[in-house]
């Protein structure tokens, strides 16, 4: 995934990792092409609209981003996830974030050594105006529905007292460079079955605009737990 149009920039002026630091000169083409690394975004969900347009759901802000799935070219700036009130309405100007979000980094630290700011202390993140959502825990399940919209599932709860994982309604946009996907509404909460704690994946059901297949897991994969 690369950003030739320089669309990925954080509100505090932070840029992508390869601008600040690469391991050695063999990474020169990564820098020239503005290749994104796991320090920039963590793409977990993918809704393919067509061969040249898809929407990524990423964990670290969390946000949604338009890309060309054939070339890996970023087509839009990231769009942050809005917070909601008790009725499920978007709160104007209030967005989710995580401790891995570069918005909490000091840009001078990134310039000096980008590895100085990977995950900030919880106290640093909580001083911001963002609603802090774990150290990641953003989008994990993404499903394009029959009506063209996307059901976007957060992996973890935002607040402990919420009845389940948040599911947002995302509109892909027109798939042109610089255009953005958008959050249309809050779909509702997804309550887990007994023992589950995380969204693992979500798949659409052909022909349906209101049903999906959800894979749940708990926090201990591979350790003998269901």
């Amino acid at each position: 995934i690369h950003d030739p149009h320089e669309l990925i920039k954080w509100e505090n002026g932070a840029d992508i990792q390869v601008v600040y630091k690469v391991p050695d000169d063999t990474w020169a083409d990564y820098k020239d092409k503005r290749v994104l690394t796991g320090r920039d975004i963590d793409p977990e969900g993918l809704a393919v609209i067509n061969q040249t347009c898809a929407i990524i759901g990423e964990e670290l802000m969390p946000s949604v981003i338009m890309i060309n799935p054939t070339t890996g070219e970023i087509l839009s700036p990231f769009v942050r996830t809005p917070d909601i009130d008790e009725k499920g309405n978007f709160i104007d100007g209030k967005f989710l974030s995580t401790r891995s979000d570069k918005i909490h980094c000091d840009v001078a630290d990134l310039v000096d050594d980008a590895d100085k700011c990977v995950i900030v202390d919880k106290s640093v993140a909580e001083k911001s105006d963002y609603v802090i959502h774990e150290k990641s825990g953003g989008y994990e399940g993404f499903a394009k529905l029959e009506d063209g919209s996307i059901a976007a599932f957060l992996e973890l709860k935002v607040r402990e007292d919420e009845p389940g994982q948040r599911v947002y309604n995302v509109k892909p946009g027109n798939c042109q460079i610089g255009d953005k996907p958008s959050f249309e509404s809050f779909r509702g909460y997804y309550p887990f079955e007994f023992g589950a704690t995380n969204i693992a994946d979500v798949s659409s059901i052909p022909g349906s605009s209101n049903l999906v297949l959800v894979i749940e897991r708990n926090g201990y994969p591979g350790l003998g737990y269901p």
Side-chain angles (χ1 to χ4, degrees):
I1 299 173
H2 62 292
D3 181 31
H5 308 291
E6 300 190 15
L7 295 167
I8 303 299
K9 298 284 182 69
W10 281 258
E11 298 88 342
N12 60 352
D15 209 328
I16 64 174
Q17 180 83 359
V18 295
V19 169
Y20 301 118
K21 183 177 182 179
V22 292
D24 52 52
D25 291 343
T26 64
W27 283 60
D29 57 337
Y30 282 66
K31 188 170 184 177
D32 292 342
K33 294 178 180 178
R34 288 181 58 86
V35 173
L36 276 72
T37 71
R39 178 60 193 96
D40 303 310
I41 63 172
D42 183 7
E44 296 283 356
L46 180 68
V48 177
I49 310 305
N50 55 51
Q51 288 186 332
T52 59
C53 181
I55 307 300
I56 282 176
E58 71 86 34
E59 275 204 289
L60 300 187
M61 286 179 254
S63 67
V64 295
I65 305 168
M66 186 187 303
I67 71 163
N68 182 325
T70 301
T71 65
E73 177 184 342
I74 295 281
L75 301 178
S76 80
F78 59 74
V79 181
R80 289 188 177 274
T81 302
D83 193 19
I84 56 172
D85 62 21
E86 64 277 1
K87 295 182 179 179
N89 299 312
F90 294 159
I91 301 175
D92 189 38
K94 200 74 172 177
F95 300 96
L96 305 187
S97 181
T98 77
R99 291 165 52 205
S100 303
D101 187 347
K102 277 188 178 176
I103 190 64
H104 307 299
C105 294
D106 186 325
V107 176
D109 287 342
L110 294 174
V111 172
D112 180 54
D113 182 355
D115 292 337
K116 284 184 177 179
C117 186
V118 177
I119 299 176
V120 302
D121 187 78
K122 186 176 181 180
S123 63
V124 173
E126 289 180 343
K127 289 178 182 177
S128 73
D129 292 330
Y130 292 88
V131 179
I132 302 305
H133 181 214
E134 298 287 342
K135 64 180 181 180
S136 60
Y139 291 106
E140 194 78 23
F142 244 50
K144 177 181 173 289
L145 306 182
E146 183 67 20
D147 63 7
S149 68
I150 297 168
F153 286 65
L154 293 179
E155 180 187 7
L156 300 171
K157 283 185 178 182
V158 175
R159 297 182 177 91
E160 282 302 316
D161 60 352
E162 291 182 344
Q165 293 359 49
R166 293 185 185 184
V167 185
Y168 286 87
N169 178 13
V170 175
K171 183 178 180 180
N174 66 18
C175 296
Q176 300 299 309
I177 295 173
D179 186 43
K180 299 178 183 179
S182 61
F183 288 89
E184 291 294 291
S185 61
F186 173 63
R187 292 183 183 270
Y189 294 101
Y190 175 82
F192 282 128
E193 298 294 328
F194 178 76
T197 59
N198 300 59
I199 295 290
D201 207 351
V202 176
S203 294
S204 58
I205 295 176
S208 179
S209 294
N210 64 349
L211 297 174
V212 294
L213 177 66
V214 179
I215 301 175
E216 304 175 354
R217 67 175 178 85
N218 61 21
Y220 301 93
L223 299 180
Y225 293 84

